[in-house]
Amino acid sequence: MNLENYAVKTEKLTVAYDGKPVLSDISLELPKEMLIAIMGPNGAGKTTLLKALLGLIPKVEGETEFSCVKGKPPKIGYVPQSESIDRDFPATVLDVVTMGCYGRLGWIKRPGKADRELSMQMLAKMGMEQYWDRQISHLSGGQQQRTFIARALVQKADIYFMDEPFKGVDAATERSIIEILKELRSSGKTVIAVHHDLATAPEYFDWVTMINTHVIANGKTEDVFTKENLSHTYRVGGAE
């Protein structure tokens, strides 16, 4: 597969906290139009890898390249780890989802009627339309997760980065989320998600990247999801 078929590529990516390497010499090519799982034990650097690819944290070394879409840089959507979100921020569910429009509009232009309608459509897709006027802090963890995924959907991105999108949700919510992710893939989008559950990975994801501070395996799920790779990946932890 040549580079044109890849959504994101990174070479020799190294990240350190307080002088201690958390990711070391990460070289990856992740394909377009697939559901991709980033997997590894606690402390392997999964969240750090997502943030480094997005340019949210400084790198010691390495370059990241996104493949263009129709000759333009791709639009990126991001669902951060649930614990990193200020759930007491005084905003309604609709406010939170509509914030996803600012990436397209810029911070000067305010969302209009069409943006609010799109936000309501995405809330309906996530089964959250009846909570549109509720304060985000008054929702359950699963409802909050659905809201933040709806916010990512209104961004109309080409590549979605999601940090543990199934964390803290019930089985029904998890099933609805994975169906949404499959719809995104079918429409030509790429989803790169940190994922913990070994049991569901082969069912949910087309491609798996296993890391433990460095890359253990990277490829189609049926090729790399082996006992040998899993044993090598989960032998010890590092630092998340």
Side-chain angles (χ1 to χ4, degrees), residues 80-102:
Q81 203 171 66
S82 56
E83 290 87 347
S84 68
I85 297 165
D86 181 4
R87 301 185 187 280
D88 293 325
F89 185 75
T92 67
V93 167
L94 182 58
D95 290 336
V96 170
V97 175
T98 306
M99 288 175 189
C101 298
Y102 282 105

Side-chain angles (χ1 to χ4, degrees), residues 52-73:
L53 291 175
L54 289 165
L56 298 177
I57 56 175
K59 302 183 288 285
V60 174
E61 184 180 4
E63 298 293 334
T64 299
E65 178 182 334
F66 292 92
S67 182
C68 291
V69 177
K70 297 181 179 179
K72 298 180 180 180

Side-chain angles (χ1 to χ4, degrees), residues 18 21 28-29 34 40 43 46 62 75 77 116 135 140 171 176 185 191 215 236:
D18 298 324
L28 286 174
E29 291 180 335
M34 285 195 181
K46 303 180 295 296
K75 297 176 182 176
R116 289 190 292 273
Q135 288 287 313
S140 69
S176 68
R185 176 190 59 192
V191 178
V215 178
V236 291

Side-chain angles (χ1 to χ4, degrees), residues 127-187:
M128 287 294 296
E129 69 273 29
Q130 69 268 38
Y131 301 101
W132 69 272
D133 60 347
R134 188 169 297 187
Q135 288 287 313
I136 189 71
S137 59
H138 295 168
L139 300 181
S140 69
Q143 290 168 337
Q144 290 174 341
Q145 191 75 333
R146 289 178 186 235
T147 300
F148 293 120
I149 291 175
R151 182 180 66 178
L153 295 178
V154 303
Q155 297 174 17
K156 295 184 177 180
D158 302 300
I159 306 172
Y160 290 90
F161 288 84
M162 300 188 177
D163 198 346
E164 300 188 53
F166 308 116
K167 187 172 183 178
V169 303
D170 59 26
T173 299
E174 181 166 322
R175 286 193 296 272
S176 68
I177 291 173
I178 193 60
E179 289 307 313
I180 295 295
L181 301 190
K182 288 179 179 179
E183 287 180 20
L184 290 173
R185 176 190 59 192
S186 297
S187 64

